[in-house]
Amino acid sequence: MKTLGADRVSVAFAGLRALSGVTLSVASGRIVGLIGPNGAGKTTLVNVLTGFQAPTEGAVTLDGVPLPKLGPHEVRRRGIARTFQGGRLFRDLPVIDNLEVTGVGLGQSRAAAIAEARAMLDWIGIAPLAERIAGTLPYTDERRVAIGRALMGRPDFVLLDEPAAGMSAPEAAELSALIRRIAGEMGCGVLLIEHNVGLVLQLCDHIVVLDSGSVIEQGPPGVIRASDKVRHAYMGTAAETDLPVPEIEG
Ligand SMILES: Nc1ncnc2c1ncn2[C@@H]1O[C@H](COP(=O)(O)OP(=O)(O)OP(=O)(O)O)[C@@H](O)[C@H]1O
Ligand SMILES: [Mg+2]
């Protein structure tokens, strides 16, 4: 079993404290939710955990050991993968190439990367999209391709930045099932950032709530549901916590 952690991570941008002493951990096979209002610091934390942003204070830990300062590519090679809030596929390339490029970047031969890419698309259930140009895909398929790309090379951890944004309830339910399989079948530790709080409450064993860069609450779904602090943080966007919860198999 592996554990990815943030240990008292702070990030300051000129004049703005985006994160203040944030500590959390994700273990193999578990799904941890990271929620909070816009600007709370969720993406900044993902950036820190994946080497896109150096922390001002604190450290990223792997199995409790602080990682040295690493760039995104080195972090990825250590088995920590992510998706981006905006997707960031190579829009002019076929879907299969989008995955292959990542495999090759991880040191695989072209043939091995293509083979894994095909197996991955099949595992996700989007094999028929292999030859489609990524930029022409509907939004929800694009998201699944981005997840497939993140899973190339079988990372130990995958950090998903708002994968369900803009999805309908049935689409979100399908995505939930996929995320469960990533944790359950692949044994990945998943950090799920999501504005769809209903989805997070249903999927995650542990949820961390950020507001203005600080952890204001954490615990199992019951604790988050009952928390006045969480309700208060979402005031003004309160409706989000009452979103209909999608039906999820298994
Ligand atoms: N590179 C940067 N330079 C300066 N400020 C930044 C930078 N990146 C993020 N910020 C600021 O840090 C804060 C946290 O931003 P972040 O993107 O992490 O929030 P978030 O929780 O992901 O929000 P959202 O739900 O809208 O995606 C915001 O105030 C944002 O404007
Ligand atoms: Mg964000």
Side-chain angles (χ1 to χ4, degrees):
M1 217 221 352
K2 299 197 172 194
T3 311
L4 173 67
D7 181 20
R8 289 163 290 178
V9 164
S10 297
V11 171
F13 296 117
L16 177 96
R17 225 169 147 72
L19 291 175
S20 305
V22 173
T23 295
L24 62 74
S25 70
V26 186
S28 304
R30 309 302 291 268
I31 309 173
V32 172
L34 181 63
I35 64 172
N38 289 113
K42 305 178 298 292
T43 297
T44 302
L45 186 60
V46 168
N47 288 342
V48 169
L49 289 168
T50 52
F52 284 80
Q53 169 72 51
T56 312
E57 290 163 57
V60 176
T61 61
L62 200 51
D63 300 332
V65 179
L67 282 178
K69 204 176 163 205
L70 299 172
H73 194 66
E74 296 162 297
V75 171
R76 180 65 168 88
R77 280 179 174 243
R78 292 195 187 205
I80 304 163
R82 69 175 295 178
T83 62
F84 293 90
Q85 214 165 338
R88 286 211 204 169
L89 296 179
F90 298 112
R91 299 182 59 80
D92 297 333
L93 293 183
V95 164
I96 187 83
D97 293 24
N98 267 272
L99 274 67
E100 181 202 332
V101 165
T102 294
V104 170
L106 289 168
Q108 298 176 356
S109 68
R110 258 200 90 199
I114 292 170
E116 189 187 357
R118 293 217 178 269
M120 186 64 69
L121 294 177
D122 195 43
W123 187 82
I124 294 175
I126 52 174
L129 301 182
E131 315 306 331
R132 294 274 300 276
I133 299 298
T136 67
L137 292 176
Y139 197 55
T140 56
D141 287 334
E142 218 182 297
R143 290 292 169 72
R144 291 192 292 172
V145 173
I147 291 173
R149 188 174 63 175
L151 294 173
M152 286 292 291
R154 294 301 187 105
D156 297 312
F157 300 95
V158 64
L159 286 48
L160 305 174
D161 199 351
E162 300 201 27
M167 288 190 180
S168 68
E171 289 163 349
E174 211 179 304
L175 180 78
S176 293
L178 174 62
I179 294 171
R180 269 191 214 283
R181 289 176 60 219
I182 292 168
E185 292 176 28
M186 285 193 172
C188 265
V190 178
L191 184 68
L192 174 64
I193 296 179
E194 214 10 273
H195 273 295
N196 183 338
V197 177
L199 187 145
V200 171
L201 290 170
Q202 217 175 39
L203 264 181
C204 301
D205 346 277
H206 187 83
I207 297 155
V208 176
V209 187
L210 275 183
D211 190 21
S212 304
S214 297
V215 175
I216 58 159
E217 190 73 271
Q218 60 178 310
V223 167
I224 304 305
R225 259 183 234 279
S227 168
D228 285 336
K229 283 185 229 160
V230 175
R231 200 167 308 126
H232 190 256
Y234 273 94
M235 253 164 34
T237 55
E240 289 194 61
T241 55
D242 293 319
L243 279 179
V245 178
E247 287 295 319
I248 291 165
E249 309 274 327

